[in-house]
Amino acid sequence: QTSTMSSSEQTFIAVKPDGVQRGLIGPIISRFETRGFKLVAIKLVTPGKEHLEKHYADLKDKPFFAGLISYMNNGPICAMVWEGLDAVKTGRAILGATNPLASAPGTIRGDYALSMGRNICHGSDSVENAKKEIALWFKEGEVLKWKSAMHDWTY
Ligand code: RTP
């Protein structure tokens, strides 16, 4: 499916409160950077319950919804936008399966997490949702356009 891939595809990646509190912002950023993705937005936020309920609106009828919102509302979240070839799908692969027990070693969750309810990171699951999530978490001027000299010829 190379024809549908865009080098400017963007995905929303967040380090959840447990990831921030465990000091895992660095390793998580590092995996996206060293893979070749470009960081175009980043901030530390405590967005509050209402915002988190919007972010997880699709899951509002799930039995774990209230627990999920209180987990996500438990401290700062590091919100980011990463850009590059097939960023959404490859971003999910870098994070690993939702349930860390099923995540392969070498993925973020496969290396740093054990529990579904404390899985340290979030990544958009489709290009459409990535657009919605970026618009929810960032204001227009917060997502930067910049050119890395390196990206011209190394990727
Ligand atoms: P995320 O949105 O956080 O990247 O996770 P995901 O797409 O891989 O998984 P999703 O089904 O959207 O679930 C969102 C988050 O809810 C928590 N969860 N708990 N059965 C449970 O207890 C359960 N299922 C999901 C996880 O934190 C999951 O990442």
Side-chain angles (χ1 to χ4, degrees):
Q1 291 212 333
T2 40
S3 60
T4 59
M5 287 182 188
S6 151
S7 62
S8 62
E9 187 170 297
Q10 295 182 334
T11 189
F12 173 69
I13 300 292
V15 183
K16 296 178 176 180
D18 54 333
V20 174
Q21 288 170 42
R22 288 177 54 196
L24 295 174
I25 295 175
I28 291 171
I29 288 179
S30 187
R31 287 175 185 230
F32 280 85
E33 261 188 333
T34 53
R35 185 67 187 267
F37 289 107
K38 183 164 77 174
L39 183 63
V40 294
I42 182 165
K43 62 182 174 184
L44 206 56
V45 279
T46 46
K49 206 162 166 265
E50 207 175 302
H51 175 104
L52 293 165
E53 284 170 354
K54 266 190 214 155
H55 173 76
Y56 281 128
D58 292 351
L59 302 175
K60 68 175 188 307
D61 298 326
K62 300 280 183 191
F64 57 83
F65 185 72
L68 172 61
I69 298 301
S70 87
Y71 156 49
M72 291 293 288
N73 202 22
N74 206 29
I77 291 169
C78 183
M80 298 178 273
V81 180
W82 287 90
E83 184 178 293
L85 201 61
D86 213 15
V88 170
K89 193 160 148 259
T90 310
R92 296 277 289 187
I94 293 171
L95 299 189
T98 304
N99 183 350
L101 291 180
S103 306
T107 64
I108 291 169
R109 288 166 178 153
D111 288 347
Y112 297 116
L114 277 172
S115 155
M116 177 101 113
R118 296 289 182 269
N119 61 1
I120 69 174
C121 49
H122 162 82
S124 308
D125 62 5
S126 67
V127 174
E128 193 193 340
N129 281 337
K131 285 183 182 145
K132 279 190 207 157
E133 290 172 2
I134 292 166
L136 176 66
W137 288 78
F138 290 94
K139 297 188 200 101
E140 194 121 328
E142 290 178 333
V143 181
L144 304 188
K145 286 186 178 45
W146 64 281
K147 207 163 147 65
S148 152
M150 187 174 82
H151 284 80
D152 277 348
W153 63 279
T154 52
Y155 297 110

